Amino acid sequence: MVRMIRESFAVVEPRSEEVAKFFYGMLFSLAPATREMFPANMEVQRSRLLRALVHVVQMVDRPDDLIPFLRQLGRDHRKFGVVNVHYESVGTALLAAVKKYAGSAWTPQVELAWAEAYTIMARAMQEAAAADDGPAYWHATVLEHQRVSWDLAVVRLQPDHPIGYRAGQYVSVETPQRARLWRYFSPANAPRDDGIIEFHVRSVEAGWVSRSVVGHTQPGDVWRIGPPMGRLHVDRKSGNDVLMVAGGTGVAPMHAIIDEMAQWGENPRVHLFVGGRTREDLYDLDNLQRFAMTNPWLTVVPVLESDPGARGVEQGTLADVVTRYGAWEDRDVLVCGSPSMIRATVSRMLVAGTPLDRIKYDPFTLD
């Protein structure tokens, strides 16, 4: 089943945009009410669908990783008002889209493999949604909007009720300026007694939500925040030391984890590589270095890709610099950044000899 799914998906992946358009057209035809769950502009949503599919296909033979991811998705989709009948329409539309663009690679055996795989996926999501007795989303009021640079803002919010996230996880967010355009952001602080959450948001090209957050968010705005997701975390009891690799605002979940670890007297050793193109991209470096000054278990290495005159930093891409130091085969590895940065870093580390089962990253780190 795994082989047939991967081989048929490899055929359709080069036409992923057409696959996504066909999928949503079919879904809205089968279940017209689902159209109201999505924004008017579907461009980013189509991209997100394919990222999710790629992630699932990559993990289809790793149920210990796949099932927790699917259960998180099931809980997260409650915020849209998804009910069981929608899963049947989604499955029909998904198989129809893959079939249309798989051509001769689509056989009765391949169809059965996809149907069985989707049944497992849908069941995991439905069971998780049914078992979750928490809210589908929380309201949170913006307390502070700090413009760090022309394209970067730090936003602090007060949820109406505590959100039980774990340091390193991410949440989906909807802002009043961009209704129905949910985006994923990672809290940059460990859970606090007062419940306040901090997000680091960089404006990205064609980023409807990120540009709005950086440029137009105001204190008093009320956001909606979905259930926590993601598997980035440090197991302090495992005995394993940790390697963290963070690009740009991908430093936010690493900051949250370090913030939490700093509350303990003893910790595993943590080696953090934080990178960007220019010195301005290392906006959180001073805070991280202050952590390192008072916590001897933490080492922070700044990395710059396009600033050869900078001092006190490593030069090159994060993938270059991290693998220059070695394979890190004895470390638990956490990677966060843009999708391209994650792909490049993970690929280079695997080539260098880092075991795949030691590397953790989340699929939705930037929109």
Side-chain angles (χ1 to χ4, degrees), residues 152-230:
L152 179 69
V154 173
V155 184
R156 297 181 182 89
L157 301 99
Q158 178 72 68
D160 55 359
H161 297 287
I163 300 175
Y165 70 93
R166 184 180 63 207
Q169 289 190 297
Y170 60 95
V171 295
S172 55
V173 165
E174 181 198 48
T175 70
Q177 291 85 3
R178 293 289 185 264
R180 293 189 293 173
L181 285 173
W182 291 84
R183 294 295 181 269
Y184 293 107
F185 297 144
S186 295
N189 61 293
R192 294 172 32 161
D193 291 340
D194 60 12
I196 290 175
I197 295 182
E198 177 180 302
F199 294 110
H200 299 172
V201 183
R202 186 181 296 280
S203 176
V204 297
E205 186 177 355
W208 284 36
V209 174
S210 62
R211 294 174 68 179
S212 174
V213 169
V214 172
H216 303 293
T217 291
Q218 299 288 333
D221 286 352
V222 177
W223 292 13
R224 290 201 295 172
I225 298 179
M229 302 177 66

Side-chain angles (χ1 to χ4, degrees), residues 224-241:
R224 290 201 295 172
I225 298 179
M229 302 177 66
R231 58 186 192 138
L232 293 184
H233 75 285
V234 169
D235 182 357
R236 296 179 57 257
K237 299 179 181 179
S238 70
N240 297 329
D241 290 330

Side-chain angles (χ1 to χ4, degrees), residues 238-264:
S238 70
N240 297 329
D241 290 330
V242 181
L243 168 67
M244 297 180 176
V245 187
T249 52
V251 74
M254 309 303 187
H255 188 133
I257 293 171
I258 292 168
D259 183 25
E260 184 173 71
M261 294 176 70
Q263 301 172 21
W264 300 86

